[in-house]
Amino acid sequence: GERISARVVAALLCQRGARSETVDATEVIVTDAKFQNAAPLMDATRARICERLAPLMDDGIVPVVTGFIAATEEGVTTTLGRGGSDYTAAILGDCLDADEVWIWTDVDGVMSADPRLVPEARTIPKLSYRETAELAYFGAKVVHPKTIRPVIEAGIGLSIKNTFNPTHPGTELIPEGEIVEGQTIKAVTAISGQTLMTVEGRGMLGVPGVAARAFGSVAATGTNVILISQASSEQSITFAVPSKSGELVRRALEETFAAELQDRDIDRIWCSDEAVIVTVVGSGMRHTPGVAGRVFSALGENGINVIAIAQGSSEVAISLVVDNRDRERAVRVLHGLTT
């Protein structure tokens, strides 16, 4: 698809009077051999991009580069994983020292919520890199978190625009978030299909290494931990994993802590029914007291129970876990705080 599309676009540009040439990304983007989710080797990639693309551009030729695919140093084709085409654009922008990267998608930029859940959701004109990363990590699908890393590190401007509505300004990503008077929360997002895994026991109190062993056990299963919440008493650790991995993770934890379970230092290891992580994001939360209180009051007034809570160290996001049946209602209630 990428290879065909690149040729079509290059041919169209030539038809419109612009000199253009298709470039296969396997020629210019060098990655490791982690197939289906390869990481670029930036020094080697920069060298190849400068060697292959710079002469074309200096000669007035518009290169149309395939997205998503790349190659190892030995020339074996790899793929960049989810968001790979946008990631390609960011890598090219970084290596070419671009002023801006524009990502064209099918919506008018980053929305304040999923419009399928909240019909009145609106485009956010400006978001900081940090806000965007939090939104992308916690479920917003407009841009993948890894996509913005090259532009953040290079200080390059990034805009999200709509292919089908090109006159719309879209969303501009900026280094620091703008604080709009009266608006502390900019967006609400949700990740479904999660389960909460809990390791609890009075024998955990003051015992070093319990968390390290727990997360080492999870990592050994190849499962990603989305959210972590630990009781201040140190008697329990709760974290979210994809529901499809719940039983696998539970068995791995029981094996890791078999001795502690037998000695009753750990009382039990259990996983919840399917749950949803709802996250509110906004840089203004760092400077506004009482935001968490407003969030939990709004949910409580609408009869929505919060199962677990986590706030990132960036202080631009608060994540909470609710029952799967409360997903749409929770997102709508919290979106009301963005206005």
Side-chain angles (χ1 to χ4, degrees):
E2 292 281 350
R3 286 170 168 151
I4 293 171
S5 298
R7 283 162 174 75
V8 170
V9 171
L12 179 62
L13 289 172
C14 291
Q15 189 181 68
R16 296 291 178 89
R19 298 168 64 206
S20 182
E21 181 177 318
T22 302
V23 177
D24 198 297
T26 56
E27 300 177 48
V28 293
I29 297 181
V30 185
T31 70
D32 60 19
K34 188 176 181 182
F35 297 99
Q36 299 185 356
N37 193 26
L41 307 177
M42 292 304 291
D43 289 341
T45 296
R46 180 179 288 272
R48 291 201 188 179
I49 285 175
C50 291
E51 179 183 350
R52 180 73 173 88
L53 300 186
L56 294 177
M57 297 170 71
D58 290 342
D59 196 31
I61 297 172
V62 180
V64 179
V65 185
T66 56
F68 185 67
I69 58 176
T72 64
E73 291 182 292
E74 294 75 28
V76 180
T77 299
T78 58
T79 54
L80 299 176
R82 182 185 154 202
S85 295
D86 296 344
Y87 197 15
T88 301
I91 293 167
L92 292 172
D94 179 5
C95 294
L96 290 169
D97 298 320
D99 294 322
E100 289 184 89
V101 172
W102 290 4
I103 292 177
W104 293 90
T105 182
D106 58 355
V107 292
D108 293 332
V110 181
M111 307 291 287
S112 56
D114 185 339
R116 292 170 298 183
L117 301 180
V118 184
E120 62 271 23
R122 58 196 176 278
T123 302
I124 306 170
K126 292 186 179 182
L127 277 174
S128 70
Y129 292 144
R130 188 172 293 173
E131 289 170 324
T132 306
E134 293 282 359
L135 281 172
Y137 181 79
F138 285 109
K141 297 178 181 178
V142 175
V143 61
H144 193 274
K146 68 181 180 184
T147 297
I148 65 176
R149 182 177 176 182
V151 294
I152 291 174
E153 294 177 347
I156 295 170
L158 178 65
S159 293
I160 314 296
K161 296 175 176 288
N162 190 347
T163 308
F164 305 104
N165 188 15
T167 59
H168 193 285
T171 298
E172 178 188 358
L173 271 61
I174 55 180
E176 293 296 329
E178 289 191 350
I179 300 174
V180 180
E181 187 70 27
Q183 184 188 47
T184 54
I185 297 172
K186 290 185 178 179
V188 183
T189 189
I191 306 180
S192 301
Q194 302 295 306
T195 190
L196 286 181
M197 193 69 53
T198 300
V199 181
E200 63 181 6
R202 287 162 293 184
M204 294 169 56
L205 181 63
V207 178
V210 172
R213 290 172 61 199
F215 294 121
S217 177
V218 176
T221 68
T223 302
N224 185 36
V225 174
I226 304 295
L227 172 146
I228 303 168
S229 179
Q230 182 168 12
S232 58
S233 65
E234 299 183 28
Q235 293 188 51
S236 70
I237 300 172
T238 299
F239 51 91
V241 297
S243 296
K244 61 183 180 181
S245 302
E247 278 303 306
L248 174 65
V249 170
R250 186 181 61 79
R251 289 195 301 268
L253 289 168
E254 287 178 347
E255 183 176 334
T256 297
F257 293 109
E260 286 82 0
L261 285 165
Q262 184 173 347
D263 294 339
R264 305 296 296 170
D265 289 333
I266 290 178
D267 296 324
R268 61 173 181 156
I269 297 170
W270 58 282
C271 54
S272 70
D273 294 332
E274 188 166 306
V276 177
I277 300 173
V278 178
T279 302
V280 294
V281 174
S283 57
M285 294 195 296
R286 286 183 294 177
H287 310 281
T288 307
V291 176
R294 289 172 56 204
V295 166
F296 299 123
S297 293
L299 293 172
E301 289 166 4
N302 285 272
I304 300 169
N305 184 45
V306 176
I307 303 169
I309 304 164
Q311 181 166 13
S313 58
S314 68
E315 297 182 6
V316 303
I318 299 173
S319 294
L320 46 97
V321 181
V322 300
D323 190 273
N324 190 53
R325 66 175 179 270
D326 292 326
R327 178 178 70 112
E328 293 187 21
R329 202 152 52 96
V331 172
R332 291 192 184 116
V333 165
L334 295 178
H335 186 266
L337 302 179
T338 67
T339 57

